[in-house]
Amino acid sequence: MAESFPRSLCIQLINPNTSIGMTEVMAATARQVAAPGTEILAVCPEEGAPSIEGHFDEAIAAIGVLQQVKAGREAGVDGHIIACFGDPGLFAAREIARAPVVGIAEAAMHMATLVATRFSVVTTLPRTLVIARHLLHQYGFERHCAALHAIDLPVLSLDDGSGIAQQKVRDQCIKAKQHDGSGAIVLGCGGMADLAQELTLELGIPVIDGVSAAVRLIESLHALRLTTSKFGDLDYPISKPLSGRFKGLNN
């Protein structure tokens, strides 16, 4: 008889921004949906951007993601989640990781196509809609996406305690259901993670949070004994001397 795979696992949840409050919100959501025995190790970088709202922020965040992935690899985690809807540093992270690395945008989009033929995306600032469109094209989901909507508030407004951003997310989700003809809605920010279940019940259609989706995908990959391929472009980076602050990223 083949040796059974361990039932328990540890998933590293990486918030690429430096907001501890947002990290805790996402960690709570991840733990709520995780299978019994799954440990969620939630981390964020000590330096970088407090929120990620453009290409510049993503470039900075990618370094912190790689640092955290390497630390998680050395700690022996069974999977890594990049908990920012831009999926910053995703493919670079897969190069340095042994375990699966899942971005929350890719995870949520995949899940949406399994439960609906068309989905809409609700995100934060209008400028990030372009990034979402790039990801839809990169992942091959542009034909599945009916529309993208922005609440026109910054990411950190989801963590300010006022509830205004959450109400605007709700309003945009209702608009998406009524006008887009979409069977599902993808929440386009990790800071919206705690809203998905309530909105699903209220709207009567799947409202998908990428953090939850990523947790379940990593658990599935673990159960199937599938990990990141090291053949081809996702092989470990070519060994070369890195200088300055990047020395710590050497394999």
Side-chain angles (χ1 to χ4, degrees), residues 85-109:
F85 200 75
D87 293 350
L90 176 60
F91 291 102
R94 285 176 176 162
E95 280 192 46
I96 68 171
R98 296 189 185 96
V101 184
V102 176
I104 63 170
E106 186 178 22
M109 292 174 188

Side-chain angles (χ1 to χ4, degrees), residues 220-243:
S220 297
L221 290 168
H222 182 75
L224 293 168
R225 307 186 186 195
L226 298 176
T227 189
T228 301
S229 173
K230 289 302 161 187
F231 180 81
D233 63 310
L234 294 182
D235 194 2
Y236 292 111
I238 296 170
S239 181
K240 60 189 69 174
L242 301 178
S243 59

Side-chain angles (χ1 to χ4, degrees), residues 1-231:
M1 179 180 293
E3 182 181 354
S4 62
F5 214 67
R7 294 187 62 187
S8 63
L9 71 158
C10 178
I11 299 175
Q12 183 190 39
L13 173 69
I14 304 170
N15 175 13
N17 72 40
T18 59
S19 170
I20 295 174
M22 193 164 292
T23 304
E24 292 173 347
V25 167
M26 293 189 288
T29 299
R31 292 182 179 119
Q32 185 176 9
V33 302
T38 295
E39 177 188 356
I40 303 296
L41 176 63
V43 297
C44 65
E46 294 182 357
E47 57 181 7
S51 59
I52 301 171
E53 296 165 314
H55 303 292
F56 178 81
D57 295 340
E58 285 195 2
I60 293 174
I63 300 302
V65 166
L66 295 178
Q67 291 169 336
Q68 294 293 344
V69 168
K70 184 179 180 187
R73 187 188 75 189
E74 292 172 349
V77 303
D78 301 291
H80 315 265
I81 296 172
I82 300 179
C84 167
F85 200 75
D87 293 350
L90 176 60
F91 291 102
R94 285 176 176 162
E95 280 192 46
I96 68 171
R98 296 189 185 96
V101 184
V102 176
I104 63 170
E106 186 178 22
M109 292 174 188
H110 269 294
M111 289 293 195
T113 63
L114 297 177
V115 295
T117 54
R118 286 161 64 83
F119 64 84
S120 298
V121 176
V122 173
T123 188
T124 51
L125 291 176
R127 67 179 294 166
T128 65
L129 295 175
V130 173
I131 295 174
R133 288 192 186 97
H134 288 170
L135 292 178
L136 286 163
H137 177 76
Q138 179 176 329
Y139 298 149
F141 294 130
E142 62 264 270
R143 293 187 179 181
H144 296 271
C145 184
L148 298 101
H149 303 272
I151 65 172
D152 202 13
L153 286 175
V155 167
L156 293 182
S157 66
L158 291 159
D159 195 36
D160 67 9
S162 70
I164 294 173
Q166 286 77 4
Q167 182 59 44
K168 287 203 169 190
V169 171
R170 176 181 177 273
D171 293 343
Q172 289 295 334
C173 286
I174 293 172
K175 175 183 175 182
K177 179 184 177 181
Q178 292 175 343
H179 299 291
D180 298 347
S182 294
I185 297 171
V186 166
L187 298 180
C189 177
M192 301 176 184
D194 58 341
L195 305 177
Q197 292 189 14
E198 179 181 341
L199 289 171
T200 294
L201 291 174
E202 180 179 352
L203 273 66
I205 62 174
V207 178
I208 300 166
D209 141 53
V211 172
S212 301
V215 169
R216 283 305 198 173
L217 284 174
I218 288 179
E219 288 179 334
S220 297
L221 290 168
H222 182 75
L224 293 168
R225 307 186 186 195
L226 298 176
T227 189
T228 301
S229 173
K230 289 302 161 187
F231 180 81

